[in-house]
Amino acid sequence: MPKKVLTVDDSASIRQMVTFTLKSAGYEVVEAVDGNGGLARAQADSFDLILTDQNMPGMDGLNLIRALRKLPAYGTTPILMLTTESSDQMKSLGRAAGATGWLVKPFDPQKLLDVVKRLVG
């Protein structure tokens, strides 16, 4: 059974790249266009890993992570930030919110796959 990944990003091109990269490696991918949509999808289904952008309309990535971490089903699920934000301050906010890891856009597809494989197999 393939591992399920939720990708949350308001950029259609980023969602397409993430989806293409992960599906080509055998993962099942579900997309959401913002934090509110991502939270709704996470509550309606179960995922092995969640990838989220930081800067999105409505609910941003940090608030999405905080909301997910409050749900029993996502207390230990790996959550990666995939964002243009690369400051140490933002990374420490991400860790405090419960992010498992941090990838900076533009991302290297092979690096994304390596990280995902390390986290969920």
Side-chain angles (χ1 to χ4, degrees):
M1 182 125 171
K3 300 284 185 178
K4 274 177 89 164
V5 177
L6 173 63
T7 182
V8 185
D9 201 306
D10 58 326
S11 164
S13 60
I14 294 290
R15 286 195 318 272
Q16 286 173 338
M17 281 176 54
V18 168
T19 298
F20 176 80
T21 300
L22 294 176
K23 280 190 171 177
S24 67
Y27 295 96
E28 185 179 333
V29 183
V30 175
E31 299 179 14
V33 299
D34 60 26
N36 291 315
L39 183 59
R41 290 199 185 262
Q43 289 171 313
D45 205 344
S46 73
F47 295 92
D48 299 295
L49 178 117
I50 297 169
L51 274 164
T52 182
D53 185 18
Q54 165 54 20
N55 300 308
M56 299 178 286
M59 183 188 299
D60 68 15
L62 291 175
N63 284 315
L64 172 60
I65 293 171
R66 288 183 194 109
L68 288 167
R69 290 296 186 216
K70 288 178 187 165
L71 302 172
Y74 294 102
T76 59
T77 301
I79 302 175
L80 293 173
M81 289 291 280
L82 178 62
T83 179
T84 55
E85 301 280 349
S86 60
S87 72
D88 289 339
Q89 179 190 7
M90 189 56 92
K91 287 178 182 174
S92 73
L93 287 171
R95 275 191 296 277
T100 310
W102 201 276
L103 292 166
V104 177
K105 295 178 194 171
F107 70 94
D108 171 0
Q110 188 57 53
K111 187 173 180 186
L112 174 66
L113 282 177
D114 291 345
V115 171
V116 170
K117 280 182 184 150
R118 212 170 43 240
L119 291 171
V120 297

